[in-house]
Amino acid sequence: MSTETKQYEGAASPVRHKDSRTTRWLAVVIAAVLLAVVAALTIITALDRLRNGQWSSIVTGLAADENLRWGNPMVLAGAAVLAAGGLLLLLSALLPGPAVFLDVPGTGTVEAKIGRGGASRLIEHRVDALDGVSRVRVKMRANKVRIQVATPLRETAELREQVLHAAATTLRENLSKPTSKIDVQIRSLS
């Protein structure tokens, strides 16, 4: 089996519209850093307990402090903040990710858009119709289209060029601003 990769440098990348949602990378990074700090402090405290045979003065001081009981309003407020943060992280994980729509060239004043999944299916159907293609899978990202093709052919250079041309043509015909890179991977099954 052989795997070959070729990229096509085309037009500018797709434009994000004002109605598309942003990604959550900043919230994820902040949550990860906070959790890493808490985990590191917990590990350091546990190792100190194992090494000395007793809890550190910080832990015993916090445990002896009368103001840090469940009935204290500050402790309840801190627990509420932690619960709200946990709920926010849970909702961020469960709610769908960013929705990105790409412009479709049209006539007149009608504005038409298509999602990345729809554009991927258009390319899949166009490439699947080519001779020598057994399976095709298309993934579309922000400025890159990745096409994976399986073929029974041993020589794949001509098929790779056909796939590249079909994908580029499909994007040019169906999107106002086509994706800038097309990555074609051909896998020979023979």
Side-chain angles (χ1 to χ4, degrees):
M1 281 194 251
S2 67
T3 303
E4 300 174 26
T5 302
K6 183 164 185 177
Q7 290 188 351
Y8 167 76
E9 300 294 330
S13 63
V15 175
R16 291 182 62 91
H17 296 282
K18 60 184 174 187
D19 60 344
S20 61
R21 293 173 276 168
T22 60
T23 58
R24 299 183 185 107
W25 67 268
L26 183 62
V28 169
V29 168
I30 291 171
V33 167
L34 289 176
L35 289 174
V37 167
V38 169
L41 290 175
T42 304
I43 290 170
I44 289 170
T45 305
L47 289 175
D48 190 39
R49 165 82 167 132
L50 288 173
R51 187 178 44 173
N52 296 332
Q54 60 184 6
W55 292 107
S56 68
S57 60
I58 296 173
V59 175
T60 55
L62 288 175
D65 191 0
E66 291 295 323
N67 292 330
L68 296 178
R69 301 285 182 227
W70 274 109
N72 188 338
M74 292 303 289
V75 172
L76 292 176
V81 167
L82 288 175
L87 181 64
L88 181 65
L89 287 174
L90 181 65
L91 289 176
S92 294
L94 294 178
L95 294 177
V100 177
F101 297 99
L102 308 170
D103 284 330
V104 176
T107 58
T109 60
V110 177
E111 184 177 319
K113 296 180 182 184
I114 187 171
R116 287 183 184 157
S120 296
R121 282 191 293 282
L122 284 172
I123 296 169
E124 278 181 4
H125 291 301
R126 182 75 60 98
V127 171
D128 195 32
L130 296 174
D131 288 337
V133 174
S134 295
R135 282 188 312 260
V136 62
R137 186 172 183 185
V138 177
K139 290 183 183 177
M140 196 168 193
R141 300 284 182 232
N143 62 350
K144 186 176 183 180
V145 176
R146 183 175 183 185
I147 304 171
Q148 297 172 329
V149 176
T151 180
L153 303 174
R154 289 182 191 259
E155 296 298 323
T156 60
E158 185 178 335
L159 180 62
R160 184 176 61 251
E161 292 300 323
Q162 290 175 357
V163 168
L164 190 60
H165 178 68
T169 303
T170 303
L171 289 172
R172 249 191 325 272
E173 290 172 353
N174 295 299
L175 298 178
S176 294
K177 296 184 179 177
T179 303
S180 61
K181 291 183 182 179
I182 300 174
D183 180 25
V184 177
Q185 295 178 342
I186 305 278
R187 188 177 63 141
S188 178
L189 300 174
S190 57

